[in-house]
Amino acid sequence: MDSLLAILRRTVEKRLAWDDTEVSASLGKPAVFILTPPRSGSTLLRVMLAGHPELFAPPELELLSFTNLKHRREGLSLRHGYMLRGLVRAVMALRECGEAEAEGLVNEWEARAVLMPEVYAQLQEWCGSRMLVDKSVHYALSPKILQRAADCFGQARFIHLTRHPQATLQSIVSMKLDKELFGGVSAGAEEIAEGIWTLSHENILGFLDPIPAGHRLRVRYEDLVSAPQDELGRICAFLGIAFHPAMLLPYAERRQRMTDEIGPQDPNFHRHQGIDARLAEAWRDSGHVALSSESMCIADKLHRQQSCCGTRICPHPSWPVG
Ligand code: A3P
């Protein structure tokens, strides 16, 4: 019988990456991709980066998952309609225009089925000297989608964001993302949530393996919230830009950070007023589920690579917990 992971892999191929058309392009300007399973603190990281004047970090673009904008509308409308708003929000910020004008432009791209690399090229042109940051949590669900980032961008930088599996599982279940992503798969919510965590990291690890070391960076959510200045400094060094103090104020300047209600939003993000370090350990209050051997293997890999990388010793000796 197929394992749950095999079922999830097949479901992703059917629902997300159904368009198998090969896409490649030679987009020469650098772009940054945040790769992570959902509920790993990716909104917080995106909003921190959006505070930097040399970066442009909009909410979910969800571009790589589709070969053209017509497919994107059709695909996202089925289950994730709110994600269509990320591109509209990005266009509004880049063109400094209102919602109706941005929506009109995106609708026109959709009607013409503009190719995904052309949309990136246009966004990057409008970004000027700023680097585009794309944080879209569906990318990690499919190796084919991830590969498109490498096939289209010669100068991509990848940030692999990790978080304790138990914290991610709890958050996926409480936000019912297991149903949004894998409704119809017959398994418990916690099992599916665990599958999402495992599948995403497995795909990211496999994808990043051949990427040159200088183009990929691992960031732990737990470090980001407990020592934000150090972690953001490390990210800036990786991106070749100077640290900017506005990155430490994710709740300031909502328009610049695109955290207003126009783009896709995480309602929980707005429950906080600042970087809340307590959330790194909050999962421990609710206990934990026993992880499968596949998940333990991935957790072990992440843990080993993280604590053996020479400069960074894992501050949480109990990571990972099965
Ligand atoms: P919960 O609200 O379930 O705790 P993502 O953006 O990748 O979906 O991750 C969402 C998680 O990021 C939230 O899940 C929360 O744990 C964490 N998060 C959101 N805002 C935060 C903040 N201001 N400080 C620390 N962590 C935050």
Side-chain angles (χ1 to χ4, degrees):
M1 224 178 66
D2 276 347
S3 71
L4 177 61
L5 277 184
I7 295 169
L8 297 187
R9 273 190 208 103
R10 259 203 325 273
T11 310
V12 169
E13 294 312 313
K14 264 196 262 159
R15 289 187 188 162
L16 277 178
W18 60 82
D19 182 352
D20 264 349
T21 319
E22 296 271 323
V23 255
S24 66
S26 45
L27 296 165
K29 284 181 84 175
V32 186
F33 289 90
I34 298 175
L35 304 179
T36 183
R39 313 310 296 172
S40 304
S42 59
T43 305
L44 179 66
L45 175 56
R46 167 191 86 73
V47 175
M48 287 166 151
L49 298 184
H52 198 294
E54 291 175 61
L55 300 174
F56 179 74
E60 264 84 359
L61 288 174
E62 272 301 335
L63 283 169
L64 279 184
S65 315
F66 305 94
T67 52
N68 69 56
L69 279 205
K70 187 162 181 281
H71 286 174
R72 178 177 176 276
R73 165 146 306 262
E74 289 162 1
L76 290 180
S77 300
L78 291 175
R79 282 163 186 269
H80 321 283
Y82 65 95
M83 286 203 179
L84 287 164
R85 310 293 303 159
L87 180 57
V88 173
R89 189 65 191 86
V91 170
M92 276 177 71
L94 289 170
R95 304 305 294 151
E96 294 179 7
C97 68
E99 193 178 345
E101 192 179 329
E103 207 158 41
L105 191 81
V106 172
N107 288 346
E108 194 257 324
W109 287 347
E110 288 167 355
R112 284 197 288 121
V114 172
L115 295 175
M116 170 268 285
E118 289 175 30
V119 180
Y120 274 118
Q122 180 63 85
L123 297 181
Q124 285 193 303
E125 189 192 316
W126 288 336
C127 278
S129 58
R130 287 176 295 176
M131 226 185 296
L132 177 67
V133 179
D134 184 350
K135 102 81 181 163
S136 301
V137 290
H138 286 165
Y139 295 169
L141 290 170
S142 161
K144 289 182 189 165
I145 295 175
L146 291 172
Q147 191 51 43
R148 283 179 184 161
D151 292 344
C152 293
F153 289 87
Q155 294 294 321
R157 299 282 185 280
F158 300 99
I159 297 176
H160 181 183
L161 177 65
T162 69
R163 186 174 185 178
H164 197 289
Q166 303 287 352
T168 304
L169 259 66
Q170 286 178 10
S171 184
I172 290 177
V173 172
S174 81
M175 297 303 285
K176 299 193 170 53
L177 280 189
D178 53 299
K179 298 205 173 46
E180 182 183 318
L181 285 165
F182 293 106
V185 170
S186 62
E190 280 174 351
E191 268 181 287
I192 295 180
E194 181 185 341
I196 293 171
W197 184 88
T198 306
L199 191 65
S200 301
H201 283 303
E202 188 182 71
N203 289 338
I204 297 168
L205 287 169
F207 168 69
L208 290 182
D209 193 44
I211 301 284
H215 287 214
R216 54 183 153 91
L217 182 76
R218 179 86 53 78
V219 173
R220 283 167 35 105
Y221 165 84
E222 289 81 1
D223 294 338
L224 186 68
V225 295
S226 57
Q229 186 156 347
D230 290 354
E231 274 313 283
L232 290 168
R234 207 165 67 88
I235 294 173
C236 287
F238 166 68
L239 299 178
I241 55 180
F243 170 77
H244 196 288
M247 300 170 93
L248 292 169
L249 302 170
Y251 291 85
E253 299 286 350
R254 289 184 67 187
R255 257 186 80 202
Q256 183 203 348
R257 288 172 175 76
M258 292 167 273
T259 51
D260 46 28
E261 54 293 332
I262 300 157
Q265 296 302 325
D266 171 12
N268 289 2
F269 176 77
H270 295 288
R271 296 220 174 107
H272 309 284
Q273 267 102 48
I275 303 162
D276 190 345
R278 289 168 307 175
L279 295 184
E281 300 294 325
W283 63 269
R284 292 183 196 273
D285 299 340
S286 314
H288 60 268
V289 296
L291 298 182
S292 68
S293 56
E294 288 103 327
S295 303
M296 284 303 287
C297 178
I298 295 289
D300 195 46
K301 237 185 216 175
L302 292 173
H303 183 53
R304 256 185 298 119
Q305 288 179 0
Q306 219 128 319
S307 44
C308 300
C309 67
T311 51
R312 309 183 49 70
I313 303 299
C314 175
H316 302 276
S318 56
W319 204 106
V321 174

